[in-house]
Amino acid sequence: MHGEKDVRKKGGIVVSARNLTVNYGKKTVWHDANFDVARGEFVAVIGPNGAGKTTMFKLLLGLQQVAGGEIEIMGSHPKRGNPKIGYVPQKHGIDNETNVECVELVKLAYSGNKLGFSISSRKENDAALHALESVKALDLANKPMSALSGGELQRIFLAEALVSDPEMLLLDEPLSNLDIRRAKELVSLISSVVKDRNVTTFLVAHDINPLIQFLDKVIYIANGKVAIGTPDKVLTSESLSELYGTHVEVLHDSMGHILIHTLYGAQDEVKENDYNASKR
Amino acid sequence: MLLNVDIIYMLHVMFRYQFMQHAFEAGTAIAIVAGIIGYLVVLRRTSFAAHAYAEIGFTGAAGSILVGINPVLGMLAASLAGGFGIAILGKRAEHRDVEVGSVLAFALALGLLFLGMYTGYATEAYSILFGEILGISSSNVFLTVIVSMVIIAAAALVYRPILFASLDEDVAEAKGMPVTLLGIVFMLLLAGAVSIAIQVSGVLLIFALMVTPAATAIRLAKKPVYAIAISSGISLFATWAGLIIAFYEPYPVSFFIVGIVFATYLAVRIIQRK
Ligand SMILES: Nc1ncnc2c1ncn2[C@@H]1O[C@H](COP(=O)(O)OP(=O)(O)OP(=O)(O)O)[C@@H](O)[C@H]1O
Ligand SMILES: [Mg+2]
């Protein structure tokens, strides 16, 4: 398997799943997943709405029970409050009414779990500024979050996740509200963070195209099943047809863009307009 | 005319009256608490819950008038119970407007029933609805100051966790912070703050103390500590100024306090529009 080559290149396996199954009550989200991810790999998690991408993150974060099989993450079972993981959730309570400085959020991500009142220590401040610097957002430090664009806000969330110096990043749809240019900028920023800090990164996305040149692996979730591998292995008509259990067409254009087309229109991964947008 | 009077002499005259001293003591404690908790209310967008506690508190107060115990205690007990109830309903319960709204309408009706059963004068009910800080007894001043100190100390203790959980609950949860417990703690702090603030603003004007100053402050400061200081500052200024005006003018003190708070809010909005 390709993964083994990467292990030698980047370090040991940090996430390993064997026949992993997850459910909510009686409903199985996906089952019998087997995957290995090595330290420092950049992994995209792709799949239709409701496939169980966010659920996979909840599992890694120890917020969701394992229903069957096994999962090991950085040498132990998933546990809630794992300080080695930085997390950017899909939904945020922060919006254009949150008139609070960016640096305050990042500081809270560093020391928000501490009891007692403090006006903010030097150490906390330095950590926050360093995290903001590593996502090229130092100039946003004293701006209110309410005044930021979608892309700027995602950089702040990334800094929030990085401030505790994690070994693994879980980014749930950070590209969802960005146009293709901003998406590409953010991905190349994330990719350089992945390399500089050697953090293992999982990124949930709906469109593979802005990511593809940076990826080590793709996890594809659909139809209750999970597939993993290098993009050129997973994103083929054969492998996706098997995953979906129906005929799937993977098309490549001359510029290297990918269009995944299923027979049932509802599960189209890359919609026509995304595809057109990505060509611009 | 007010302006012609020497301010020192004026204050001197005012503080010769014990009821004015009491009003200032309790009003000061309440303003500080309302400014702090109000900031979190605005940040968490739970102003509706703040109103709910006020109305549940009214029921408690009306019930205690009926059985002859201190209405402030009844208020505190009822809104703390309500706070606990809303908090354990679930972590998003503070935003369940329909459920909270239905419960509080019933609570208010129950309060009305209690008052209907009460045969004495209804002035106490009037002051619960609209506030009457000028009549506060020395034992209630004591109670108010103690409750305020407990709330301030507790808020300082859980300041950072509550602030973080209010801003970014999902990340706080993933970091292993007890977000449900923090929600309960916040709801109890809010219920406590509301039930003492009712003495100044009354049930119906509770927004003026618990929400408007903080909503003004959050427009003026982007650092939480500053915003809290400004929010408390506005409440303090409005309370003191309201008390002074009400000492010389024969109109309800709550009107002046709410009026000053609202004028500040309007002024800030108008200035910021330009
Ligand atoms: N707390 C929950 N209780 C019950 N079912 C849930 C819960 N959370 C998610 N589900 C269900 O589990 C499935 C997977 O949800 P999940 O949020 O992981 O999907 P997703 O792949 O992240 O989708 P999206 O692209 O829309 O974010 C969905 O069918 C969803 O309805
Ligand atoms: Mg999701």
Side-chain angles (χ1 to χ4, degrees), chain A residues 58 61 63 79-82 85 87-89 91-101 103-105 107-119 124 142-145 157 160-161 163-164, chain B residues 39 42-43 45 91-92 154-180 182 216-228 272:
Chain A
K58 297 259 142 123
L61 287 164
L63 298 172
K79 56 172 191 277
R80 200 168 160 249
N82 190 338
I85 304 181
Y87 174 48
V88 175
K91 297 188 298 279
H92 283 269
I94 289 153
D95 59 21
N96 57 8
E97 282 179 36
T98 314
N99 188 23
V100 176
E101 268 181 9
V103 67
E104 293 292 326
L105 178 73
K107 282 199 291 199
L108 282 169
Y110 184 74
S111 59
N113 56 352
K114 295 209 171 65
L115 290 179
F117 184 79
S118 104
I119 302 275
E124 181 189 53
N142 298 105
K143 280 203 177 165
M145 288 183 276
F157 294 149
E160 184 191 0
V163 72
S164 47
Chain B
Y39 178 73
V42 172
L43 210 59
R45 290 172 209 166
K91 74 175 181 187
R92 311 265 175 212
L157 185 68
V158 295
Y159 172 71
R160 281 182 285 181
I162 282 204
L163 201 58
F164 189 41
S166 307
L167 275 175
D168 209 343
E169 187 169 20
D170 288 319
V171 175
E173 188 187 22
K175 279 181 179 288
M177 288 167 55
V179 287
T180 308
L182 287 169
T216 313
I218 213 164
R219 293 179 157 269
L220 294 173
K222 351 171 246 191
K223 283 198 185 296
V225 204
Y226 295 163
I228 288 173
Q272 286 196 335

Side-chain angles (χ1 to χ4, degrees), chain A residues 48-55 90-91 172-173 204 206:
Chain A
N49 290 123
K53 306 179 294 294
T54 299
T55 304
Q90 187 172 359
K91 297 188 298 279
D172 202 344
E173 302 206 18
V204 173
H206 279 280

